[in-house]
Amino acid sequence: MHPIRRAAAWSRSVPGGRDGRRMLAIALVDRVGSGLWASVSVLYFTYVSDLSLAQVGTLAAAAGAIGIAGAPIGGKLADRFPVTRVLLTVQLVRAVASCALLTTNNYALLLAFSAMGGLGDRAASILTKLYATRVAGPDRVRYQAFHRTVANAGWALGGLTAAAALALGTTTAYQWLLAGDALSFIASALLTLRCGEPPSPSRT
């Protein structure tokens, strides 16, 4: 089968129709940005923010621990408000957090912005799963399989791009990778605007 036809057939097989495919595009863009940042975060905090390894470890652990609250918060909000609007807000929060990291080397502020980003990451993850459950219905398990495939591809693309930039080894290169992470969240937010809101019987 011709590659274009194969891609079209794969696209048509995604549960959830057009909105399901759009959410997969969001997952791809999101994970490309996350792959950029994940590949250089330690180097950024070490060489750009001039933190010690102990400070970087503490920052990552604290931000990760605080970020755990993002999943239940995201779920609660999605029960009360349209999930697409909550996801849009979360993506913008993540973009702001990433941009804010570029503005300071103060350890307390870096910790606060990293925690904000961690909360957003966990919330975005649970919100995309909720969207899949609602838009794909009984095919949600198959949809999640598509989602994992696309997300893994995004991580790989982001990591490869970061590896190419790391060859430069300059402060500017690290900063551009972080900016690319923020731009991916903005792009994801814009794509989310085009997604329809699936029904939610639990919303109050």
Side-chain angles (χ1 to χ4, degrees), residues 62-77 115 118-124 126:
I66 296 171
I68 292 174
I73 290 173
K76 288 288 186 181
L77 290 174
L119 279 168
D121 291 343
R122 294 298 185 93
I126 195 65

Side-chain angles (χ1 to χ4, degrees), residues 128-145:
T128 54
K129 289 180 173 64
L130 285 172
Y131 190 91
T133 298
R134 296 175 183 179
V135 77
D139 290 327
R140 57 185 177 273
V141 174
R142 189 158 64 92
Y143 182 87
Q144 287 293 347

Side-chain angles (χ1 to χ4, degrees), residues 97-153:
S98 295
C99 289
L101 290 173
L102 290 167
T103 66
T104 182
N105 291 330
N106 180 273
Y107 185 68
L109 291 176
L110 290 175
L111 178 58
F113 297 145
S114 296
M116 184 191 305
L119 279 168
D121 291 343
R122 294 298 185 93
S125 178
I126 195 65
L127 289 168
T128 54
K129 289 180 173 64
L130 285 172
Y131 190 91
T133 298
R134 296 175 183 179
V135 77
D139 290 327
R140 57 185 177 273
V141 174
R142 189 158 64 92
Y143 182 87
Q144 287 293 347
F146 280 99
H147 186 276
R148 283 193 296 272
T149 300
V150 170
N152 289 339

Side-chain angles (χ1 to χ4, degrees), residues 120-203:
D121 291 343
R122 294 298 185 93
S125 178
I126 195 65
L127 289 168
T128 54
K129 289 180 173 64
L130 285 172
Y131 190 91
T133 298
R134 296 175 183 179
V135 77
D139 290 327
R140 57 185 177 273
V141 174
R142 189 158 64 92
Y143 182 87
Q144 287 293 347
F146 280 99
H147 186 276
R148 283 193 296 272
T149 300
V150 170
N152 289 339
W155 271 105
L157 287 172
L160 288 173
T161 303
L166 285 174
L168 299 175
T170 63
T171 296
T172 301
Y174 297 143
Q175 290 171 332
W176 273 110
L177 289 174
L178 180 53
D181 184 36
L183 288 174
S184 76
F185 299 143
I186 294 174
S188 296
L190 294 175
L191 288 171
T192 302
L193 285 173
R194 302 188 62 190
C195 291
E197 179 65 25
S200 174
S202 64
R203 187 175 303 140

